């Protein structure tokens, strides 16, 4: 079934502020929480609201959703992959917004609680990289440096030694408490503070990662940038992001490019535009001019009577579409240059030319009808 637009789910516009999104979520969550609303479909509506809020309340996920829609959170989509509704703890969201007064759904998986010990994919990373115009058009190799979470080798990512069952939660990773709220008494299930949801503790904490199971490491990664990338294009490097938890896979790295300007070429997607100055004698009589392309210089014929703004298309001389065999076109726009300074001989020749009644040109004659 096709997912509904997250903004429609929360009843806000795409330009809504963070506070407007939060306010709408609070209102709808109170209305559809299954402990309050027993109507058919309330539970599904409640989970739908929570999923929408988990994306739109996060600036980075919201930006990705605005750019790619739901495809941003599917493997192989244009933006971040690995989005799983079960990765979002509704219980913690409600703890933040309602002070722990709601229960019933710690995740989108229904009333059954998510185990903190299940494998979890590591976080994705977004890196912004500057490229020159030609680097983006022609493709290149770059080396990037970044600091990533890596699994601690000393404790193998568990955080300690001498494992034992947590006495506070009896190995469940969650604890249940009863609290009073606006709607009466509710059971609230939260992450066990003793074990952090793992369900186990250790006799000795790892002194390398200080119990986290992860350490920060600086890494250098060489990336191959394909021909034709443009501003905002994202290159995905699978499995090179933050380390996963409990045996889960690493996250991914996304490289987003910012491309510099070129002094003579203007780019619109895969097409290029080049303004070429020519003398008025070449424009009038025709001739040949040498012009640059992104590959090499070429000789171009100028037809007699060429006007300023005339455009010629050179097919396939534009930019290659990234990860495709297709190439754009190069559009040459002629600009007829009027000389500012003339020698005495040049001025005399032009005066002689002017005596030949150039005003008989059909365009000038047509304009004079209105005088």
């Amino acid at each position: 079934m096709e997912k509904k637009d997250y903004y429609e789910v929360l009843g806000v516009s795409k330009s809504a502020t963070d506070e407007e999104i939060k306010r709408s979520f609070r209102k709808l969550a109170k209305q559809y929480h299954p402990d309050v609303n027993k109507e058919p479909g309330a539970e599904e509506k409640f989970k739908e609201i929570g999923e929408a809020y988990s994306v739109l309340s996060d600036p980075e996920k919201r930006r990705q959703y605005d750019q790619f829609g739901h495809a941003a959170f599917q493997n192989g989509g244009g933006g971040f992959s690995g989005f799983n509704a079960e990765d979002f703890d509704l219980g913690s969201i409600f703890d933040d917004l309602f002070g722990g007064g709601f229960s019933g759904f710690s995740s989108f998986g229904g009333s059954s609680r998510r185990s903190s010990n299940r494998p979890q994919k590591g976080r994705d990373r977004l890196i912004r990289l500057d490229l020159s115009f030609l680097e983006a058009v022609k493709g290149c190799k770059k080396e990037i440096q970044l600091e990533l979470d890596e699994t601690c080798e000393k404790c193998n990512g568990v955080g300690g030694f001498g494992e034992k069952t947590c006495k506070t939660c009896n190995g469940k990773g969650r604890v249940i408490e009863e609290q009073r709220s606006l709607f009466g008494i509710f059971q609230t299930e939260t992450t066990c503070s003793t074990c952090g949801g793992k369900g186990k503790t250790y006799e000795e904490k790892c002194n390398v990662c200080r119990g986290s199971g992860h350490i920060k490491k600086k890494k250098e990664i060489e990336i191959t940038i394909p021909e034709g990338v443009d501003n905002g294009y994202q290159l995905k490097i699978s499995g090179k992001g933050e380390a996963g938890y409990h045996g889960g896979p690493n996250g991914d790295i996304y490289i987003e490019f910012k491309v510099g300007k070129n002094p003579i070429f203007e780019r619109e997607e895969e097409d290029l535009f080049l303004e070429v100055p020519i003398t008025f004698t070449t424009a009038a009589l025709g001739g040949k001019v040498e012009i640059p392309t992104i590959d090499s210089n070429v000789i171009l014929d100028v037809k007699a009577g060429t006007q300023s703004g005339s455009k010629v298309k050179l097919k396939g001389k534009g930019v290659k579409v990234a990860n495709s065999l297709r190439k754009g076109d190069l559009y040459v726009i002629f600009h007829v240059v009027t000389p500012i300074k003339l020698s005495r001989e040049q001025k005399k020749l032009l005066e002689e030319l002017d005596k030949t009644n150039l005003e008989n040109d059909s365009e000038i004659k047509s304009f004079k009808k209105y005088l």
Side-chain angles (χ1 to χ4, degrees), residues 1 56 70 78 84 129 142 160 170 177 182 185 203 215 233 251 258 289 297 328 335 357:
M1 182 183 296
L56 299 185
H70 292 292
N84 186 335
L129 184 64
K142 287 279 187 178
N170 295 319
E177 298 176 349
L182 180 65
I185 298 175
E203 293 178 0
I215 57 173
Y233 181 93
K258 181 181 178 182
V289 292
N297 290 357
H335 169 61
N357 198 14

Side-chain angles (χ1 to χ4, degrees), residues 5-18 20-22 24 56 62 65-66:
D5 181 86
Y6 286 148
Y7 290 99
E8 291 182 8
V9 170
L10 293 183
V12 296
S13 68
K14 289 190 175 182
S15 60
T17 64
D18 292 342
E20 288 171 334
I21 289 172
K22 182 184 291 187
S24 179
L56 299 185
R62 182 179 180 182
Y65 178 72
D66 288 344

